[in-house]
Structure formats: structure tokens, C-alpha cells
Amino acid sequence: MDHMDYSAQMRDLGLRVTRGRLAVLDALESHPHSSAERVVIAVHQTLPEVSIQSVYNVLNDLTEQGMLRRFTPPYSAALYETRVNDNHHHALCTSCGRIEDVECAVGHAPCLTPSNSHGMEIQLADVLYQGICEDCRKTDAA
Amino acid sequence: MDHMDYSAQMRDLGLRVTRGRLAVLDALESHPHSSAERVVIAVHQTLPEVSIQSVYNVLNDLTEQGMLRRFTPPYSAALYETRVNDNHHHALCTSCGRIEDVECAVGHAPCLTPSNSHGMEIQLADVLYQGICEDCRKTDAA
DNA sequence: CCTCTTAATTTGAATCTGTCAAGATAAGAA
DNA sequence: TTCTTATCTTGACAGATTCAAATTAAGAGG
């Protein structure tokens, strides 16, 4: 997904195309699963004048419009990614905090249905796998 | 699970049995999926002198010892519950925030295994169902 | 290209959730 | 009952995020 695609998508959504928004999308493209703080750092590499508040605004606006996906692992600030609409899941290393994408076998939501939904109409099943990554296993063993 | 059970469990874990801890456990027993703030409110019904910091301490200590389970729905503060060790999941109404317990078909972790775990040793699969509860469907329809 | 509207951004304060640290208190072992 | 030290209290503090008002700039229309 390059600038042209993102720009077209924003226009389609009735959003103005700004440098800040493109910079946030770029940052998340190259650093998926980033917190707002990390996005700010990445954006400031190329656009040091963009304010922190603006990054928050962009993250919220684009998430609301479905161009970004937001999730919150335990004990973590919110993380963002550009990969949306494929209903993929995440695997978190509880030792080092590393996060990997995990393909969803079904590929669309909801990929699971509860046995008893208590009358709820389930639209989405968010799955967060937790475990120990390869690197941490090696380190722990030592 | 009554006071005697909780007390015994705490002693087994090498924890002192205090009024505050029992009050927190009581509060979560009758109000599952409560935030720290709600626990404070509930605890203060019977023990107004317990400090907020103390409730945070208790929630952290008991969670660390496995007597409480903590989870964080999107856009929410951390929530706590006394139901542990059955690997159950949650269903969140994205309209009103209501949360229901959902039985885990497998009953122990991990109840799901990713297709490609990227070398991670998966220990747990946390599932959060999201949808619209019955009440909100009725209200929205009106 | 210029003008105008208003969405987007900036700035600074404020809020919410939760942690840190030091001294006071009380659980429970001896 | 005494003593040790885990627990609790108090108050300051920090991180993540939001709110609000004034400023700036995207892009539609002329």
C-alpha cells in the first residue's frame, strides 16, 4: 500500500490528505504494532514539526474510519497497525513483549462462535495468543 | 468460594489474610468484571477505611498469585474476576460495554493453536468475542 | 489561480489509571 | 505477649490519552 492508495482511500472516506496522516501510515507500515509514542518517534524522523496530539488525532480518526486497527495487549498501551480487514490475530511473547501476526484460518470475522453467546450477536472473535518466543526460550534456558 | 476457602488459599500461598483482601474477593465475587474503581466502591460499602492504593495492591498481588484474573477490553481500564483456571472467555457488547462469560469448549489453555506460531511456544489463547447484546439490539431497532 | 469554508493541527491544560516510596499498622509465628 | 515483617496508608508522581480554544491549511468553487 503506497501513498497514492492511502490518499485515494482517505478521499473516498471524505478525509483530507495531509502530510501527518501519510507519515503516520508510513510509520505503521514499516513498524507494525507500534504504540502512539513509537509512531510519534517514527513520524518525527521525517516530519519533526508534527505534534504529539496530532498523532493521537490521526490514530483515532483513521482507526475510526477502519484504515487502522487498534488493539491493547495486557499491561500495554494501545498498539496500531495498517493491516486491516483480514481478521488476523496476534501472538504475544509474555517475556519480551514481542508481537507476531498470526493468520486467521477463516480469514473473516467472526472466525469463532461461542457455545453460548448469552443472546449476544457476535460480530468478531479477537484472539490473542500468549507464550514464549524462540529467542526468550534460548535465553531462559541459559 | 467463601471466606474460609479464600483464607486457606491465601495462607497456602504464604499471603496474610486481611480484611481488605477478603473484601476485594467478596466484591469481585458479587460483581465480576469490575474495574479497580468499582472494586473500591464495592469495598467501601463495608470497609470505608480501605485506601484506594490498598485495593490496587490487593488486585495486583492476588492476580500475581493466580487468585484473580485480569483482562483489558479495548478502551477499558483493567477488569478483574475471581473465576480463574477454567480458561473461560469473554463476550463484550460494543454498544453498552456489558461483558458476559463464555465457556471455553476445551476448558484448559491453550484451547486454540495458531497455524504458524513463528517459533513461539503458545501457552494461552485469549478470546474476546465482540458483538451487540440483546438489550442493545432491541434499543437500536426502536 | 484565488478565495472561502471548515477540517485538521497546534498548544497547553486536564483527566484517568495506575505506580513509587516512606512511614505506620497489624497478621501471625514463636 | 512479643516480635518480625508483610501489609496498608498517605501523598507525590508518572504514563497514556483526551479536551478545548485558537491557528493553519486542504481542497471545493468561482
Side-chain angles (χ1 to χ4, degrees):
Chain A
M1 192 79 79
D2 64 11
H3 276 190
M4 296 312 287
D5 294 318
Y6 283 135
S7 298
Q9 203 176 342
M10 284 192 263
R11 288 208 188 81
D12 286 350
L13 289 165
L15 296 177
R16 292 183 182 172
V17 177
T18 68
R19 277 192 238 157
R21 282 176 176 166
L22 290 173
V24 166
L25 286 163
D26 275 351
L28 285 171
E29 190 83 35
S30 44
H31 304 92
H33 315 140
S34 289
S35 64
E37 187 191 4
R38 291 207 167 279
V39 171
V40 168
I41 291 170
V43 166
H44 279 181
Q45 308 279 324
T46 50
L47 296 177
E49 72 276 16
V50 173
S51 71
I52 294 174
Q53 178 62 59
S54 191
V55 169
Y56 274 104
N57 289 343
V58 170
L59 291 172
N60 282 335
D61 293 346
L62 296 186
T63 300
E64 207 168 315
Q65 296 300 323
M67 286 186 67
L68 291 179
R69 184 169 153 188
R70 173 191 154 122
F71 65 106
T72 315
Y75 302 100
S76 163
L79 305 182
Y80 299 85
E81 62 191 346
T82 54
R83 197 174 153 186
V84 294
N85 292 328
D86 67 348
N87 198 49
H88 73 276
H89 306 304
H90 297 107
L92 165 70
C93 174
T94 51
S95 175
C96 68
R98 169 180 183 171
I99 293 176
E100 300 282 358
D101 283 339
V102 173
E103 305 303 323
C104 173
V106 177
H108 59 81
C111 60
L112 281 177
T113 315
S115 42
N116 176 358
S117 66
H118 297 270
M120 271 199 211
E121 184 176 300
I122 302 300
Q123 299 167 331
L124 178 68
D126 240 334
V127 181
L128 178 66
Y129 294 99
Q130 300 185 45
I132 306 290
C133 75
E134 207 164 359
D135 291 354
C136 286
R137 271 209 307 290
K138 285 176 188 160
T139 308
D140 292 353
Chain B
M1 193 79 79
D2 64 11
H3 275 189
M4 297 311 287
D5 295 318
Y6 283 136
S7 299
Q9 203 177 343
M10 285 193 262
R11 288 207 189 83
D12 286 350
L13 290 165
L15 296 176
R16 292 185 182 170
V17 177
T18 68
R19 278 192 236 159
R21 283 178 176 164
L22 290 173
V24 166
L25 287 163
D26 275 351
L28 285 172
E29 189 83 34
S30 45
H31 305 92
H33 314 140
S34 289
S35 65
E37 187 191 6
R38 291 206 167 281
V39 171
V40 168
I41 291 170
V43 165
H44 279 181
Q45 308 279 322
T46 50
L47 296 177
E49 72 277 16
V50 173
S51 70
I52 294 174
Q53 178 62 59
S54 191
V55 169
Y56 275 106
N57 290 342
V58 170
L59 291 172
N60 282 336
D61 294 345
L62 296 186
T63 300
E64 206 168 314
Q65 297 299 324
M67 288 187 65
L68 291 179
R69 186 170 153 186
R70 172 191 155 122
F71 65 106
T72 314
Y75 302 100
S76 164
L79 305 183
Y80 298 86
E81 62 191 346
T82 54
R83 196 174 153 186
V84 294
N85 293 326
D86 67 347
N87 199 49
H88 73 274
H89 306 305
H90 297 108
L92 166 70
C93 174
T94 52
S95 176
C96 67
R98 168 181 184 170
I99 294 176
E100 300 282 358
D101 283 338
V102 173
E103 306 303 321
C104 172
V106 178
H108 59 82
C111 60
L112 281 176
T113 314
S115 42
N116 177 359
S117 65
H118 297 270
M120 273 200 209
E121 183 177 300
I122 302 300
Q123 300 166 330
L124 178 69
D126 239 335
V127 180
L128 178 66
Y129 294 99
Q130 294 179 242
I132 307 290
C133 74
E134 206 164 0
D135 291 354
C136 286
R137 270 208 307 288
K138 285 176 188 161
T139 307
D140 292 353

